[in-house]
């Protein structure tokens, strides 16, 4: 496949993420920026098991302290966004829910892959940042496997003025902000670690990817008791404060989100404001969906928030990720 009109990447920001600022509870990277495809990562689960992972790295994955998910990418509405991907094996970045042209869509069958035989080893994806909201990115090479291995992350488009306390220009205000990336692991898909790139099965010869049977249930790459001590997951804010939870479903199972009985407002779906907020005590998220949830903290006490991961028919709960909501 020839290069045609493709522009080789070479620009972009340096390594490392920017620490949380404003109301953020997570680190992030800003456009222009660069990431590399890594296929030698690992993460330690609450039971002590080590799971092999793949991820996009900018000196680290999500929050700069884990390999799964990948870093949060931020830009302001109306800006030209540039993200340079470097890879020796076949990978892409697909900006899920963002309106980009075919050249920058990251679907190999209609554009091209980065890395591998006959492909460029780097490329700068370029698009215009749309309406402020919550979006998603992931590798679109052998999507089912690469997604499971951890090659996904969140894109946040800020209002034109860069506000970190307003959901969109003239939209709801908030005091604190969390990204909840919901996902699961089927550990049998991760055996062997690394393995082959695009077109390969990824794990060792013992990997079984004919069925997906998750045995780890996570938010932001953490599971079990680790969820209660993770500052990017466990919610803590003052009485009466508004907390924005950007829910991004990066798993394969339907997930029911509950805030410990608290009523919350669903204010946006898939990067667009809802015509009017919907008040709820639970909200079902399908794979690939994004919802912005606005929680008003109670006057005192502690609650337990839960994410129940269901089978595809919503017949039974396969597992639960739970964390705390604490009035600071």
């Amino acid at each position: 496949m020839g290069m045609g009109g493709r522009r080789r990447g070479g620009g972009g920001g340096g390594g490392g993420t920017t620490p949380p600022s404003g109301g953020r509870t997570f680190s992030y990277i800003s456009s222009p920026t660069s990431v590399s495809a890594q296929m030698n990562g690992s993460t330690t689960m609450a039971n002590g098991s080590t799971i092999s992972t793949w991820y996009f790295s900018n000196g680290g994955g999500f929050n700069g302290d884990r390999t799964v998910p990948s870093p949060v990418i931020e830009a302001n509405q109306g800006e030209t966004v540039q993200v340079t991907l470097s890879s020796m094996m076949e990978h892409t970045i697909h900006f899920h829910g963002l309106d980009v042209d075919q050249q920058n869509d990251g679907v190999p069958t209609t554009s091209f892959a980065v890395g591998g035989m006959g492909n460029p080893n780097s490329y700068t994806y370029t698009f215009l940042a749309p309406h402020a909201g919550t979006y998603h990115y992931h590798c679109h090479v052998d999507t089912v496997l690469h997604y499971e291995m951890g090659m996904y992350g969140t894109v946040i488009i800020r209002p034109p003025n860069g506000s970190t306390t307003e959901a969109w220009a003239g939209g709801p205000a908030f005091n604190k902000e969390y990204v909840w990336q919901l996902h699961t692991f089927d550990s049998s898909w991760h055996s062997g670690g690394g393995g082959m790139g695009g077109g390969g099965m990824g794990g060792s010869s013992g990997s079984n990817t004919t069925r997906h049977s998750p045995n780890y249930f996570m938010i932001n790459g953490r599971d079990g008791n680790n969820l209660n001590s993770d500052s990017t997951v466990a919610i803590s804010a003052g009485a009466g404060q508004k907390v924005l939870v950007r829910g991004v479903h990066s798993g394969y199972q339907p997930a029911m989100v509950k805030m410990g009985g608290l009523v919350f407002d669903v204010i946006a779906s898939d990067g667009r404001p809802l015509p009017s907020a919907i008040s709820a005590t639970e909200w079902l998220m399908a794979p690939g969906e994004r919802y912005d949830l606005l929680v008003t903290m109670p006057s005192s006490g502690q609650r337990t928030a839960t994410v129940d991961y269901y089978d595809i028919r919503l017949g039974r709960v396969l597992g639960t990720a739970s964390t705390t909501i604490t009035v600071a």
Side-chain angles (χ1 to χ4, degrees):
M1 180 181 293
M3 283 294 295
R6 300 169 202 162
R7 180 164 59 85
R8 286 186 180 272
T17 56
T18 301
S21 60
R24 297 180 188 89
T25 56
F26 50 87
S27 299
Y28 63 98
I29 57 178
S30 299
S31 169
T33 191
S34 301
V35 296
S36 61
Q38 301 292 325
M39 300 177 67
N40 59 351
S42 66
T43 187
T44 301
M45 312 309 294
N47 64 2
S49 297
T50 299
I51 304 293
S52 299
T53 58
W54 303 347
Y55 64 108
F56 297 105
S57 175
N58 182 273
F62 175 71
N63 207 44
D65 62 4
R66 66 202 72 181
T67 62
V68 175
S70 296
V72 172
I73 299 173
E74 291 197 10
N76 294 341
Q77 180 178 334
E79 290 180 345
T80 297
V81 181
Q82 294 184 315
V83 180
T84 300
L85 170 63
S86 300
S87 180
M88 298 303 294
M89 306 297 288
E90 285 191 23
H91 294 289
T92 69
I93 295 178
H94 170 67
F95 293 97
H96 190 105
L98 290 154
D99 294 327
V100 304
D101 60 23
Q102 182 171 303
Q103 176 79 2
N104 291 283
D105 195 39
V107 179
T109 53
T110 56
S111 55
F112 61 97
V114 175
M117 187 175 298
N119 296 318
N121 290 333
S122 67
Y123 178 76
T124 299
Y125 293 92
T126 305
F127 62 91
L128 190 67
H131 194 280
T134 306
Y135 302 89
H136 183 48
Y137 71 96
H138 63 85
C139 181
H140 224 310
V141 175
D142 286 351
T143 314
V144 172
L145 177 62
H146 290 215
Y147 205 67
E148 162 73 16
M149 291 299 294
M151 303 196 77
Y152 48 78
T154 293
V155 177
I156 297 174
I157 304 300
R158 301 285 177 185
N161 64 0
S163 173
T164 58
T165 59
E166 194 175 41
W168 56 84
F174 55 89
N175 303 102
K176 205 167 182 181
E177 176 184 19
Y178 291 79
V179 170
W180 276 14
Q181 293 162 106
L182 316 182
H183 55 128
T184 64
F185 277 159
D186 178 341
S187 58
S188 71
W189 287 37
H190 296 252
S191 59
M196 299 173 65
M201 288 299 293
S204 71
S205 59
S207 298
N208 176 17
T209 57
T210 57
R211 294 289 185 271
H212 189 257
S213 301
N215 53 337
Y216 292 102
F217 305 91
M218 297 170 285
I219 305 172
N220 293 349
R222 300 295 192 239
D223 75 320
N225 291 332
N226 290 336
L227 288 165
N228 293 324
S229 59
D230 191 292
S231 61
T232 72
V233 178
I235 295 174
S236 177
Q241 287 192 324
K242 301 282 188 180
V243 175
L244 180 66
V245 178
R246 298 181 184 270
V248 180
H249 197 337
S250 310
Y252 293 144
Q253 289 75 30
M256 184 70 77
V257 178
K258 301 177 184 179
M259 295 293 176
L262 294 177
V263 176
F264 55 86
D265 289 332
V266 184
I267 61 173
S269 170
D270 295 343
R272 292 294 186 271
L274 295 179
S276 59
I278 300 172
S279 295
T281 57
E282 60 182 33
W283 197 256
L284 184 66
M285 295 183 62
E289 288 188 322
R290 288 88 59 213
Y291 288 101
D292 290 0
L293 314 178
L294 193 62
V295 183
T296 301
M297 294 295 284
S299 58
S300 61
Q302 187 176 82
R303 309 290 182 100
T304 299
T306 57
V307 178
D308 291 326
Y309 292 93
Y310 282 81
D311 66 18
I312 197 64
R313 295 179 178 83
L314 296 177
R316 64 189 180 94
V317 175
L318 303 178
T320 299
S322 62
T323 190
T324 55
I325 301 176
T326 304
V327 178

